Amino acid sequence: MRTVTAFYSALAAADGETASALVIPEKRGKGPFNEGSIHAFFGAMSQPLKLTGTALRGDDNVRAS
């Protein structure tokens, strides 16, 4: 849950480096998980992303809203 919260907090701040570092290594730095892509997309939002809740949905499954 802490990792999910940290990831979405980094997205809200358009902090591509921190967000990307929280992604599994196989996906890190590629496509939508590229640091620059994260910064460009989330930095251009008229209002920052806001995490309103998290819920554990299984051993390795977290629902973020």
Side-chain angles (χ1 to χ4, degrees):
M1 298 284 271
R2 282 185 289 233
T3 301
V4 171
T5 301
F7 177 73
Y8 281 96
S9 294
L11 293 181
D15 182 353
E17 286 189 32
T18 299
S20 183
L22 294 165
V23 174
I24 62 171
E26 294 81 22
K27 293 185 177 185
R28 195 174 297 152
K30 299 175 185 171
F33 299 112
N34 174 278
E35 297 86 343
S37 296
I38 291 170
H39 176 73
F41 181 83
F42 289 95
M45 295 179 82
S46 60
Q47 293 185 2
L49 182 75
K50 183 177 179 183
L51 181 65
T52 59
T54 56
L56 193 57
R57 306 280 301 223
D59 291 340
D60 289 332
N61 190 347
V62 176
R63 181 180 174 109
S65 55

